[in-house]
Amino acid sequence: MEGSSKGGVLSHLSLLEAKARSRKTQLHQIKELRDKVEALRIQRDQLRAEIETHKILQKVRASLDKKCTKGGEEEELQVKEGEKMNEDSEHSQLLRLMARHTQLKDLLHAHHIIGGYNITKTIQGRRVCASLATAYEGVYLETYNVEFDLKPTVRIRRHDVPPFIPVDSLAEQSNMQTDIRAFLDTLSKYLNGYAGRKQQLKLVKERHKSVEVMESNVLCSILVMLLTVPGERVTVLCTLKYTDHTRCLPTGVYVQCEADKELPDSPQWKNNCSLLMETPVHKALTIMRDRWIIA
Amino acid sequence: METMNEENMEEARVLETQIERLQAEVEALQRQQQENHKDITLQLGGQIQDATSHFYGLTQEEGEEKVMFRLKEEVEELEEDLKWQTKMNGIFLNSCTTKTLQNSGSKLVQQFSVSGQCSELAFQVEFLLTEVKNNQQLERTVSDLNVAIEAGDQQDLKDLSIFMSGVEDWSDLLLFFRTLRTFSDRCDDRDRTFEHFQDKYPDVVSFLGDRRSEVMALSHPELPGCGLLVHWSVKVSSWGEVTPKINLLTKIPEKALQLFPSEALGGADEAFESLLRILGPEAALESVIRAISLSEES
């Protein structure tokens, strides 16, 4: 008996405890739900605010863009519109700043996309860093960086341009002290020439499995290929030389054929050589393949 | 205890429906926002975000002045940066508008429309920029390139327009701007040199067309019928290589040549070419001008 009454008290106590705990969890759950409602409300209000601001900003930005494209003549009209906006909204100055902010961001982004040098100043204007973008036929490739000391004289401090591009002698030849851009323009031509030739070589390897690349160098200024004439099983050794390193087109094309010494002088192969002189190599090979000249 | 539980249950149900409703609202707003962002690239971050929050009274603790001050500071920095890029790139951009055509996580396609000025040439380019994320690498490609340029002097642009149609075929946006810049740099070189000689030898030098003329006429003030024409053109190859070309043409009446056969004038063009090679354009032109003005000083 003693034992059962003891058990009754204990079980009653544990029942009370369980009830209290469940009430606690229920309250906790409700609090969580309330918090979630509050968080969602804030998110919704933020989104509404952003969308609303976006709408107004779009209008301000559009008039700003119009002003920038049309120039001085329209300015007077814009000032009048601006005054009107001033009456409409007490926040107009803030809005104009925000619109200009988005416009500046877009313009800076555009400079970057069209291959601008992305100049950044460091250490109180004593140094600048320039990036040189490369691309070939719309595909953006490597970007290289050059850092200059501006004082006491303009000098290249460091760069990540490949060693086979003669950065220092290009710097010596250009008038870097007065015109950094002239030097960057020249260097950019060399880098884009290199990037283009390298990309062409990659495309030749990808697209022309039957063409065997026998030799090429790091600068991609020489390319020796073994071409196969279909049917006759004759192979032709074709050498492209790129002596102008700013270009993606060869300055010389040479053809050799062991089996048929006359072949290089045939009108068809003379024609092929001039095709290779005027057309990027991966495209010239495609044309030659389509004409059944090579396999 | 039981009633308390029911009250809780009731509140929980109400809250859950509220959450559902708010979630649907937020989703709809997010869709609308995504749609909006296609038209204007609004980077809602940093100071702009603060300004937006302030704008709708979401943050009370900071006054408009403070938000404005910080935004102004950032805008000034951007203005300064843009000034630098413009100076260093030699290209002034008027406007850039973008529109997002596709945005599916790993692939982003945007339509760009950029207009601006490179020295005296106004340009407008339109293209698609595709960005694909591939193993943490970002592949960027330009396609559907469309370029147009405008200049006061139409004959200047004959070569350039052949090159431009090639550039559109290859979608080579960077090449277009490299060539455009070099072309206008070389034109500026010529204009500067021509202007310099006009100031220095106003009696001898004259121009046929406007200031950006390709031809400079040289004649002695007392012999207006005879003279030399300097034709300085800037050639652009179909691959975008820019080369200045300077020719010397003689303008002597037939009769004068018959009466005074002059070998020096007959071979003027060839002689000028070697002068150019040795002295460079400025010094070569200077010596020709001196010769024709019969200047004593040397």
Side-chain angles (χ1 to χ4, degrees):
Chain A
M1 280 304 272
E2 225 186 19
S4 84
S5 87
K6 199 180 175 187
V9 171
L10 276 180
S11 69
H12 185 67
L13 277 173
S14 73
L15 192 72
L16 281 176
E17 195 195 342
K19 272 189 177 169
R21 199 182 291 139
S22 102
R23 210 181 115 222
K24 216 173 171 185
T25 24
Q26 272 179 9
L27 284 176
H28 187 67
Q29 273 171 352
I30 282 173
K31 195 187 173 305
E32 266 182 4
L33 287 172
R34 277 194 193 129
D35 286 350
K36 203 170 176 190
V37 168
E38 193 49 35
L40 278 168
R41 227 176 237 148
I42 290 172
Q43 198 188 354
R44 181 198 61 188
D45 291 349
Q46 178 76 31
L47 278 168
R48 271 189 189 158
E50 281 174 16
I51 288 166
E52 197 51 41
T53 315
H54 183 272
K55 252 189 227 158
I56 305 169
L57 262 183
Q58 216 167 9
K59 272 188 212 152
V60 182
R61 168 70 193 268
S63 84
L64 206 61
D65 277 340
K66 218 191 272 170
K67 184 176 154 188
C68 287
T69 359
K70 291 197 176 154
E73 293 167 39
E74 304 282 313
E75 212 148 321
E76 215 171 303
L77 198 118
Q78 290 299 325
V79 171
K80 275 182 197 151
E81 265 180 36
E83 276 168 11
K84 208 173 87 196
M85 199 176 68
N86 217 349
E87 288 162 23
D88 289 347
S89 158
E90 48 174 318
H91 297 298
S92 68
Q93 208 188 342
L94 187 60
L95 269 173
R96 260 203 298 271
L97 266 180
M98 285 162 85
R100 181 66 180 154
H101 191 282
T102 66
Q103 195 188 33
L104 285 166
K105 282 259 184 201
D106 280 349
L107 290 174
L108 283 166
H109 184 53
H111 266 291
H112 175 68
I113 295 293
I114 65 171
Y117 294 126
N118 270 349
I119 301 291
T120 44
K121 270 202 255 191
T122 49
I123 322 180
Q124 283 110 41
R126 274 192 290 138
R127 259 177 228 164
V128 290
C129 191
S131 326
L132 296 109
T134 62
Y136 183 68
E137 296 193 338
V139 180
Y140 287 84
L141 302 163
E142 299 289 312
T143 298
Y144 301 94
N145 302 288
V146 182
E147 195 179 289
F148 298 91
D149 273 331
L150 294 181
K151 282 163 191 170
T153 54
V154 179
R155 197 176 64 88
I156 295 169
R157 195 178 153 76
R158 54 182 179 177
H159 64 80
D160 60 1
V161 174
F164 42 83
I165 307 270
V167 178
D168 293 323
S169 69
L170 290 178
E172 274 168 34
Q173 284 161 29
S174 71
N175 201 358
M176 213 163 65
Q177 298 309 321
T178 51
D179 195 355
I180 291 187
R181 184 158 72 74
F183 163 69
L184 290 175
D185 284 351
T186 312
L187 182 58
S188 172
K189 278 180 190 136
Y190 274 79
L191 287 170
N192 274 285
Y194 160 64
R197 294 191 303 274
K198 197 172 146 194
Q199 184 75 355
Q200 285 179 6
L201 180 60
K202 187 184 154 215
L203 294 172
V204 166
K205 285 178 179 166
E206 275 174 16
R207 293 181 191 173
H208 299 277
K209 300 289 180 207
S210 67
V211 172
E212 196 181 336
V213 174
M214 307 289 285
E215 196 192 328
S216 70
N217 56 357
V218 280
L219 188 56
C220 299
S221 62
I222 187 155
L223 175 60
V224 184
M225 302 174 291
L226 198 64
L227 310 174
T228 312
V229 179
E232 295 165 51
R233 294 270 149 231
V234 179
T235 53
V236 176
L237 198 66
C238 179
T239 306
L240 307 185
K241 281 187 181 158
Y242 302 81
T243 42
D244 183 346
H245 296 166
T246 64
R247 294 183 62 186
C248 297
L249 284 176
T251 41
V253 177
Y254 311 93
V255 175
Q256 277 169 289
C257 181
E258 280 289 312
D260 181 0
K261 303 268 185 227
E262 310 282 291
L263 181 133
D265 293 321
S266 69
Q268 189 191 39
W269 276 90
K270 283 212 162 126
N271 198 10
N272 291 340
C273 285
S274 51
L275 179 72
L276 282 159
M277 284 287 278
E278 290 158 10
T279 319
V281 56
H282 63 289
K283 286 185 179 168
L285 291 175
T286 306
I287 294 171
M288 285 160 76
R289 192 176 54 194
D290 292 348
R291 289 181 187 162
W292 283 91
I293 296 164
I294 57 164
Chain B
M1 209 59 86
E2 282 300 300
T3 48
M4 181 74 169
N5 271 351
E6 255 177 36
E7 257 175 44
N8 281 351
M9 295 268 275
E10 182 58 31
E11 193 178 357
R13 265 197 296 276
V14 171
L15 285 170
E16 262 158 21
T17 31
Q18 264 185 354
I19 286 171
E20 267 171 40
R21 191 171 50 82
L22 280 166
Q23 266 168 344
E25 231 180 307
V26 163
E27 266 169 43
L29 287 167
Q30 274 169 338
R31 271 197 301 275
Q32 198 189 336
Q33 196 183 32
Q34 255 172 7
E35 211 42 49
N36 280 349
H37 281 196
K38 288 182 179 177
D39 294 327
I40 183 171
T41 39
L42 232 188
Q43 271 115 4
L44 284 170
Q47 302 307 336
I48 276 273
Q49 178 107 52
D50 287 353
T52 313
S53 305
H54 170 80
F55 207 77
Y56 282 88
L58 296 175
T59 47
Q60 244 85 54
E61 62 261 43
E62 284 180 324
E64 174 155 338
E65 251 171 63
K66 214 168 183 182
V67 173
M68 179 99 96
F69 179 76
R70 281 211 307 266
L71 185 63
K72 213 178 217 168
E73 233 174 22
E74 206 171 273
V75 165
E76 270 163 21
E77 257 168 51
L78 290 171
E79 298 270 12
E80 188 62 24
D81 195 9
L82 183 66
K83 220 184 273 171
W84 255 86
Q85 307 307 333
T86 305
K87 187 181 167 234
M88 289 303 294
N89 295 334
I91 287 168
F92 178 82
L93 297 180
N94 290 327
S95 85
C96 165
T97 48
T98 56
K99 199 178 168 87
T100 304
L101 302 182
Q102 192 192 331
N103 190 359
S104 61
S106 60
K107 193 177 178 185
L108 175 70
V109 185
Q110 282 180 305
Q111 187 175 38
F112 274 74
S113 174
V114 180
S115 70
Q117 194 95 16
C118 181
S119 190
E120 310 262 312
L121 297 170
F123 62 83
Q124 164 101 38
V125 291
E126 276 171 14
F127 56 91
L128 296 185
L129 182 72
T130 308
E131 294 187 346
V132 180
K133 263 191 211 115
N134 214 343
N135 306 322
Q136 300 189 328
Q137 253 193 322
L138 190 67
E139 284 171 20
R140 285 192 303 172
T141 321
V142 168
S143 59
D144 296 64
L145 177 64
N146 223 306
V147 297
I149 53 173
E150 216 179 281
D153 195 347
Q154 287 300 317
Q155 70 179 117
D156 253 353
L157 307 177
K158 224 185 312 156
D159 288 356
L160 208 54
S161 54
I162 296 170
F163 159 72
M164 273 159 54
S165 67
V167 146
E168 289 183 336
D169 289 345
W170 321 311
S171 291
D172 212 330
L173 183 69
L174 266 55
L175 177 66
F176 170 70
F177 280 102
R178 277 204 305 281
T179 301
L180 184 70
R181 185 162 57 199
T182 313
F183 176 78
S184 66
D185 278 355
R186 295 295 85 82
C187 288
D188 288 347
D189 286 348
R190 174 193 62 207
D191 296 349
R192 232 187 347 263
T193 313
F194 277 4
E195 243 170 68
H196 163 75
F197 286 132
Q198 193 176 26
D199 292 346
K200 198 167 173 188
Y201 304 100
D203 297 340
V204 180
V205 173
S206 63
F207 292 100
L208 302 177
D210 60 350
R211 198 180 64 81
R212 268 179 98 80
S213 170
E214 285 186 359
V215 181
M216 176 170 71
L218 307 172
S219 60
H220 191 274
E222 284 163 33
L223 288 167
C226 304
L228 296 168
L229 297 175
V230 177
H231 185 215
W232 186 333
S233 54
V234 180
K235 299 278 174 206
V236 181
S237 78
S238 53
W239 295 98
E241 285 144 320
V242 180
T243 33
K245 197 168 173 356
I246 312 176
N247 284 314
L248 192 69
L249 310 163
T250 48
K251 195 182 81 181
I252 314 255
E254 274 299 304
K255 212 170 177 188
L257 271 180
Q258 278 168 8
L259 290 172
F260 312 100
S262 161
E263 283 199 10
L265 277 175
D269 198 20
E270 289 79 25
F272 182 68
E273 263 174 44
S274 55
L275 257 185
L276 265 181
R277 268 197 304 276
I278 300 162
L279 299 173
E282 283 81 9
L285 284 176
E286 176 115 46
S287 51
V288 170
I289 294 170
R290 283 215 179 123
I292 202 156
S293 63
L294 305 170
S295 161
E296 296 293 313
E297 49 174 325
S298 66

